[in-house]
Amino acid sequence: MLAGRSVVEHGRRNGVRGQIQMSQQTVAIVGAGLGGFQVASVLRDLRFPGRVVLVGDEPHAPYHRPPLSKAFLLGTTEESKLGMRPPTFYADNRVELITGKRAVAVDRAHRKLALEDDSVIQYDHLVLATGARNRPLPVPGTDLSGVHFLRTVDEARMLRASLGHVKRAVVIGAGFIGLEFAASALKYGVDVTVIEVANRPMARALSVPMSAVFARELTKMNVRLLFNTQVMRLVGEGAKVTGVETVEGQVVPCDLVVIGIGVIPNVELAATCNLDVQNGIVVDEQLLTADPNISAIGDCAAHSSAHADGIVRIESVQNATDQGRCVAGRIAGRPSRFTAVPWFWSDQGDLKLQIAGLTAGCDRTVVRGDPAGTSCAVFCFRGERLLGVETVNRPADHMAARRLIGNHVSLTAEQAADERFDLKQPGAAAALSRPSQP
Ligand code: FAD
Ligand code: NAP
């Protein structure tokens, strides 16, 4: 498939009994987002001496996405502050950053990665960190002007420029993107309606009691929440969006729409070179695909987790960061299993949501603190096992929960609910009684 393409760089092979010396190896990373950046920078932190090539299809050096729906949208963080490192970092650390070019094919047999401009990178190890893309909304009208997505800095810039000029916004999807955008838009004095197919906010990520806290508090902030409904079409005058029509025929007038109905993992590159793909690129406990020269990390990777049943694909900063570190460590000669505790956060106005662990499949919840207020924790159990803890405005409980879950320590429902019970104690005791992890 790659035959005939110009080979711009060759890894030099000078093997001793088939082994390539590390200084002569090339690590190619596809995706210059958080995970890809993390692999490159940790390789250098670990003094990996070989070549590191980081390829991204966006026209930017790696940048942080979380501020896009928060501080950047609010205007309190400028675009120049979003970069993961200053522009000089890449040359200073011998990271060959290629931006604005898509990787289009992998020749596994010859370890070649082809880019869209027909250049080819010869790799010894390939890391797929291709992330995910916006899920399109399959209804008429999404091509009207005033209809936005929010994944990239280019999309966020356009949205921010519009916010000062609009009066009414409709957000489709009450997930993280939708609600963070809604909270930010309120600060511009915009009237916000959220349309969600499920019966509660962040239903995929949150327990029923924590969803209820957010539904109530967002309503108090004047976000109008429409649950259990779907969008039939977006309506417009000329080329401009003027409203969103639900399947019941209700038209919500607006001059701006944000679609935040989830993401699709970018697995095509892996699929075309016959790697196993199941709602993500399937990797083992060291984040390797079935090909020992190809790893996958971050939003695009599906892995088994000690914190879940079966295979999971996690879309979060922590996951991409920790997986990047794990893969860089292995390539640099320090292999380890990926065991990090999953955790998440979301800032929505004055509400700081933090989640430790994976709570899908929980069959019992216990609330600590007053669920009628804006500071409480929900402990999610399956049987006796503590799966995860959701907190709002309780950072100390969140940190304690991460330790509990990391040490696989459970506690009783009574302990969880009792504000006088010190959550730091069981985790600390368990950590002391265990041999330290390699
Ligand atoms: P990405 O960051 O998506 O990077 C993948 C990169 O690969 C992209 O630039 C993509 O264009 C590129 N790419 C894909 N295919 C190719 C190809 N073939 N060739 C070259 N390049 C390619 N998470 C949290 O935990 N907390 C938050 O508060 C939070 N806020 C967020 C706010 C927003 C607005 C968004 C969009 C996400 C937020 N997230 C948050 C999620 C978090 O940013 C992602 O989970 C994280 O960025 C995943 O990193 P990644 O490297 O796997 O993918
Ligand atoms: P998300 O959290 O998956 O939420 C999407 C929501 O939209 C879900 O509740 C989904 O319901 C709903 N939905 C799906 N189809 C719909 C439709 N046709 N009409 C109305 N609602 C519909 O995804 P997101 O909020 O779009 O976020 C995108 C990505 O950015 C994710 O990777 C997310 O993790 C990341 N992100 C993370 C954070 C954070 O961690 N703080 C912040 C922003 C963004 P179903 O679940 O029933 O499909």
Side-chain angles (χ1 to χ4, degrees), residues 322-347:
D322 288 343
Q323 292 196 337
R325 277 197 198 118
C326 178
V327 165
R330 168 162 45 75
I331 294 170
R334 301 184 194 180
S336 64
R337 288 166 54 230
F338 179 68
T339 56
V341 177
W343 57 269
F344 315 83
W345 86 94
S346 176
D347 296 331

Side-chain angles (χ1 to χ4, degrees), residues 248-328:
E248 292 85 11
Q250 180 187 1
V251 176
V252 184
C254 64
D255 36 17
L256 182 140
V257 171
V258 172
I259 300 172
I261 58 167
V263 293
I264 299 172
N266 292 322
V267 297
E268 291 73 9
L269 195 58
T272 54
C273 66
N274 297 320
L275 292 171
D276 188 11
V277 167
Q278 296 172 29
N279 179 35
I281 305 165
V282 177
V283 290
D284 68 11
E285 57 182 15
Q286 289 196 31
L287 309 174
L288 262 179
T289 66
D291 182 329
N293 301 310
I294 305 181
S295 304
I297 59 169
D299 282 14
C300 69
H303 63 283
S304 65
S305 166
H307 303 284
D309 290 333
I311 286 181
V312 289
R313 189 178 60 74
I314 299 178
E315 299 161 4
S316 78
V317 163
Q318 169 276 327
N319 183 64
T321 306
D322 288 343
Q323 292 196 337
R325 277 197 198 118
C326 178
V327 165

Side-chain angles (χ1 to χ4, degrees), residues 69-70 135 137 151 172-178 180 195-198 202-204 229-231 260-263 299 315-316 344-347:
S69 49
K70 312 175 185 81
R135 178 182 293 151
L137 180 68
R151 175 88 194 167
I172 303 172
F176 289 120
I177 290 271
E180 290 185 4
I195 297 177
E196 163 65 48
V197 68
M202 297 174 281
R204 195 179 299 165
T229 186
Q230 289 202 49
V231 172
I261 58 167
V263 293
D299 282 14
E315 299 161 4
S316 78
F344 315 83
W345 86 94
S346 176
D347 296 331

Side-chain angles (χ1 to χ4, degrees), residues 100-436:
K101 275 189 199 159
R102 192 164 186 72
V104 291
V106 179
D107 175 346
R108 288 168 49 190
H110 300 97
R111 295 201 299 270
K112 289 178 181 175
L113 174 71
L115 308 190
E116 62 184 341
D117 63 354
D118 280 351
S119 59
V120 175
I121 298 165
Q122 178 83 52
Y123 64 83
D124 295 288
H125 198 87
L126 177 66
V127 182
L128 299 175
T130 48
R133 59 181 179 272
N134 298 314
R135 178 182 293 151
L137 180 68
V139 303
T142 53
D143 53 347
L144 290 164
S145 78
V147 179
H148 296 259
F149 285 91
L150 180 48
R151 175 88 194 167
T152 66
V153 66
D154 298 320
E155 290 167 340
R157 196 187 310 110
M158 282 194 286
L159 199 44
R160 183 165 105 163
S162 301
L163 268 174
H165 312 291
V166 298
K167 290 197 167 54
R168 289 176 295 198
V170 170
V171 175
I172 303 172
F176 289 120
I177 290 271
L179 297 180
E180 290 185 4
F181 168 80
S184 298
L186 291 177
K187 304 263 182 188
Y188 283 83
V190 176
D191 177 82
V192 185
T193 301
V194 180
I195 297 177
E196 163 65 48
V197 68
N199 61 359
R200 57 193 180 90
M202 297 174 281
R204 195 179 299 165
L206 290 190
S207 67
V208 171
M210 191 53 92
S211 270
V213 171
F214 275 79
R216 187 193 64 228
E217 292 303 317
L218 288 160
T219 304
K220 273 196 207 160
M221 289 181 211
N222 282 330
V223 176
R224 195 152 65 106
L225 298 166
L226 304 181
F227 295 120
N228 297 310
T229 186
Q230 289 202 49
V231 172
M232 176 70 99
R233 64 188 179 118
L234 309 189
V235 292
E237 277 173 27
K240 180 92 187 70
V241 72
T242 55
V244 176
E245 184 179 340
T246 66
V247 285
E248 292 85 11
Q250 180 187 1
V251 176
V252 184
C254 64
D255 36 17
L256 182 140
V257 171
V258 172
I259 300 172
I261 58 167
V263 293
I264 299 172
N266 292 322
V267 297
E268 291 73 9
L269 195 58
T272 54
C273 66
N274 297 320
L275 292 171
D276 188 11
V277 167
Q278 296 172 29
N279 179 35
I281 305 165
V282 177
V283 290
D284 68 11
E285 57 182 15
Q286 289 196 31
L287 309 174
L288 262 179
T289 66
D291 182 329
N293 301 310
I294 305 181
S295 304
I297 59 169
D299 282 14
C300 69
H303 63 283
S304 65
S305 166
H307 303 284
D309 290 333
I311 286 181
V312 289
R313 189 178 60 74
I314 299 178
E315 299 161 4
S316 78
V317 163
Q318 169 276 327
N319 183 64
T321 306
D322 288 343
Q323 292 196 337
R325 277 197 198 118
C326 178
V327 165
R330 168 162 45 75
I331 294 170
R334 301 184 194 180
S336 64
R337 288 166 54 230
F338 179 68
T339 56
V341 177
W343 57 269
F344 315 83
W345 86 94
S346 176
D347 296 331
Q348 297 170 25
D350 294 331
L351 305 174
K352 184 167 201 71
L353 170 68
Q354 292 173 296
I355 307 167
L358 298 173
T359 56
C362 92
D363 56 21
R364 191 169 48 125
T365 57
V366 175
V367 179
R368 183 183 180 92
D370 181 5
T374 55
S375 167
C376 66
V378 178
F379 287 69
C380 302
F381 292 90
R382 187 173 55 222
E384 300 303 309
R385 182 176 166 197
L386 179 63
L387 296 181
V389 181
E390 304 157 350
T391 59
V392 59
N393 296 342
R394 288 204 169 205
D397 282 1
H398 170 72
M399 292 308 295
R402 270 159 60 176
R403 281 190 292 273
L404 289 173
I405 292 160
N407 288 318
H408 298 282
V409 174
S410 204
L411 64 178
T412 65
E414 292 69 30
Q415 289 168 330
D418 183 355
E419 294 259 35
R420 293 161 307 178
F421 181 79
D422 183 358
L423 294 174
K424 292 197 280 304
Q425 289 315 310
L432 287 174
S433 66
R434 262 164 221 270
S436 59

